């Protein structure tokens, strides 16, 4: 009986600094720690592989993942609104284009970007629109009745 208690204590007891034996804690992803949906570990790996700098701070991939997540959420929200305006349930490239181009800040950020199958913004030059002849014919222009100003 004492032997089993002694064995149990040796199994659960950790070695120096907790390096040997015992149960390991379950790994918690950096994204969960940061409260993000975007993968912080993957962003860190891409930053390292890209060789953008010799050294990289521990907070850089977290910050970059947070910025990317915010931009994605912003575009998706506006595209969802555009889809709802067109009475659709799914977001397609046309809705993404309408969302980006109608937003001032996103339009500036993605100015030189072409969105495949997005089309163009609906725009008709006012000069090409037909003049309202029926309204102007029944009511004479007030500026024509005035006498010209003397210099």
């Amino acid at each position: 009986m004492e032997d089993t208690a002694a064995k149990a204590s040796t199994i659960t007891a950790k070695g120096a600094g907790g390096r040997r034996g015992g149960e390991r804690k379950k790994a918690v992803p950096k994204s969960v720690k940061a409260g993000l949906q975007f993968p912080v570990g993957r962003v860190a790996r891409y930053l390292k592989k890209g060789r953008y700098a010799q050294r990289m701070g521990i907070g850089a991939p977290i910050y970059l993942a947070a910025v990317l997540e915010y931009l994605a959420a912003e575009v998706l929200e506006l595209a969802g609104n555009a889809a709802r305006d067109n009475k659709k349930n799914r977001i397609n490239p046309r809705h993404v284009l309408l969302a980006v181009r109608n937003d001032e800040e996103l339009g500036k950020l993605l100015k030189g970007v072409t969105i495949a199958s997005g089309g163009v913004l609906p725009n008709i030059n006012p000069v090409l629109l037909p003049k309202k002849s029926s309204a102007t014919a029944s009511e004479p222009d007030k500026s024509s009745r005035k006498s010209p100003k003397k210099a």
Side-chain angles (χ1 to χ4, degrees):
M1 198 145 190
E2 292 175 19
D3 292 334
T4 56
K7 285 181 181 177
S9 65
T10 56
I11 292 172
T12 57
K14 291 187 178 181
R19 287 188 303 269
R20 284 173 285 180
E23 293 181 25
R24 283 189 64 129
K25 289 184 180 178
K26 191 175 179 188
V28 181
K30 290 178 186 152
S31 300
V32 172
K33 287 182 183 178
L36 297 173
Q37 300 298 315
F38 269 50
V40 174
R42 189 178 301 175
V43 171
R45 187 175 75 233
Y46 289 154
L47 281 173
K48 286 176 188 172
K49 279 190 178 179
R51 303 290 290 165
Y52 299 108
Q54 286 184 339
R55 302 168 72 182
M56 184 181 64
I58 195 72
I62 298 169
Y63 194 90
L64 182 57
V67 169
L68 290 172
E69 183 175 320
Y70 168 75
L71 286 173
E74 192 73 21
V75 169
L76 280 173
E77 181 184 352
L78 293 172
N81 293 344
R84 196 176 341 106
D85 292 343
N86 290 329
K87 297 173 184 155
K88 305 283 186 199
N89 290 328
R90 286 191 190 137
I91 296 172
N92 59 29
R94 175 70 178 162
H95 301 139
V96 174
L97 178 114
L98 291 173
V100 168
R101 298 292 180 243
N102 286 326
D103 187 69
E104 186 180 340
E105 292 173 341
L106 283 174
K108 188 188 279 189
L109 178 67
L110 302 173
K111 195 173 204 169
V113 174
T114 303
I115 297 174
S117 302
V120 294
L121 279 180
N123 183 25
I124 301 173
N125 198 323
V127 176
L128 300 174
L129 293 173
K131 294 189 170 80
K132 298 178 182 176
S133 57
S134 60
T136 55
S138 63
E139 194 176 303
D141 196 15
K142 294 179 181 178
S143 62
S144 63
R145 284 192 273 162
K146 291 183 180 177
S147 59
K149 291 184 179 179
K150 297 178 183 176

